[in-house]
Amino acid sequence: KPRVSVITSGKGGVGKTTTTANLGLSLARLGFSVVAVDADVGLRNLDLLLGLENRVNYTLVEVLNGDCRLDQALVRDKRWSNFELLCISKPRSKLPLGFGGKALIWLVDALKSRPEGSPQFILIDCPAGIDAGFITAITPANEAVLITTPDITSLRDADRVTGLLECDGIRDIKMIVNRVRTDMIKGEDMMSVLDVQEMLGLPLLGAIPEDSEVIRSTNRGYPLILNKPPTIAGLA
């Protein structure tokens, strides 16, 4: 039975997609089979971060319309064959009206029962905000990874999302504190990871330091964790 984790934050730009890409490939590198789902409808970016944008020919919408098979929409990474990407829709496209959480429940069931075996992890990259796209993305999940940065706007949104996840029955929520700057914490210009943990009351999965390599990696479509030698955020 796969672990179905939704990677969420509420606030945009705190690092959900970067985390999904690097976490997914880290798990694949450890030998787990992983399917990463880009559930962001109009603003699809996970394919770019992974350097797979030229290989996405079909999306979940086409699978559901019967235009292709599920295995045709899954893009297998050439570096790690146990990592696959699935995009929900094409960038700038509108979703069909009836599309919602049921579609993702169908997807998870289809992945569980596929002939070559179920993936061990299904990571769902959740869109920013708390509208219909968010509700769709969290529907099939049984655990959540909440990404926050140590600033008050991100924390408020994270707190709101925690409440919504709990309302939806997702009790297993852990957090990653991203873009931490020790120099600013020392000067008391930034909350410490402990402060964040006390404010949100969630178990800490990890803290990731601010790292200029993240931008470089994003622009190259080459995930951080594959860098040799590894960078600080890649190691974290």
Side-chain angles (χ1 to χ4, degrees):
K1 188 168 162 251
R3 289 176 67 168
V4 185
S5 303
V6 63
I7 316 256
T8 180
S9 71
K11 191 178 190 319
V14 298
K16 285 183 293 285
T17 305
T18 309
T19 302
T20 307
N22 285 286
L23 201 57
L25 276 176
S26 296
L27 287 165
R29 204 162 59 165
L30 291 169
F32 295 103
S33 57
V34 181
V35 172
V37 180
D38 190 338
D40 203 330
V41 179
L43 306 168
R44 188 180 94 188
N45 287 320
L46 187 54
D47 55 337
L48 286 173
L49 261 68
L50 291 161
L52 298 174
E53 67 277 13
N54 297 330
R55 295 184 44 215
V56 179
N57 299 319
Y58 297 111
T59 67
L60 182 59
V61 169
E62 277 99 11
V63 178
L64 294 168
N65 286 345
D67 300 332
C68 71
R69 300 187 312 274
L70 178 57
D71 60 88
Q72 291 174 297
L74 287 159
V75 180
R76 201 175 278 282
D77 194 289
K78 286 196 165 86
R79 297 158 293 208
W80 299 96
S81 61
N82 48 343
F83 179 92
E84 293 167 292
L85 166 71
L86 177 72
C87 297
I88 277 196
S89 68
K90 293 198 160 70
R92 296 186 300 279
S93 71
K94 282 212 163 30
L95 277 187
L97 273 175
F99 190 94
K102 282 202 178 78
L104 286 196
I105 288 173
W106 175 87
L107 167 67
V108 169
D109 287 341
L111 287 170
K112 276 182 193 168
S113 57
R114 63 182 183 169
E116 66 270 40
S118 164
Q120 287 156 296
F121 286 89
I122 298 172
L123 302 180
I124 301 169
D125 183 16
C126 190
I130 51 171
D131 56 4
F134 168 81
I135 302 298
T136 297
I138 71 173
T139 302
N142 38 41
E143 59 184 329
V145 177
L146 187 77
I147 315 292
T148 183
T149 49
D151 62 89
I152 208 79
T153 50
S154 177
L155 287 170
R156 174 187 281 178
D157 292 356
D159 195 46
R160 176 99 173 87
V161 162
T162 303
L164 292 169
L165 289 166
E166 285 172 347
C167 281
D168 201 65
I170 300 174
R171 295 261 179 271
D172 185 354
I173 309 168
K174 298 181 184 72
M175 72 167 181
I176 290 178
V177 185
N178 197 17
R179 307 190 69 166
V180 175
R181 286 184 54 178
T182 41
D183 57 327
M184 285 183 77
I185 293 168
K186 283 199 187 87
E188 299 194 347
D189 295 312
M190 182 181 262
M191 276 181 273
S192 72
V193 174
L194 198 64
D195 293 336
V196 171
Q197 213 182 340
E198 279 178 5
M199 280 185 76
L200 291 178
L202 293 171
L204 182 70
L205 201 54
I208 299 170
E210 179 74 61
D211 183 350
S212 57
E213 277 302 318
V214 175
I215 296 173
R216 205 168 287 137
S217 132
T218 300
N219 290 337
R220 282 169 52 210
Y222 190 80
L224 265 183
I225 61 134
L226 302 176
N227 276 8
K228 289 189 178 70
T231 70
I232 51 169
L235 280 169

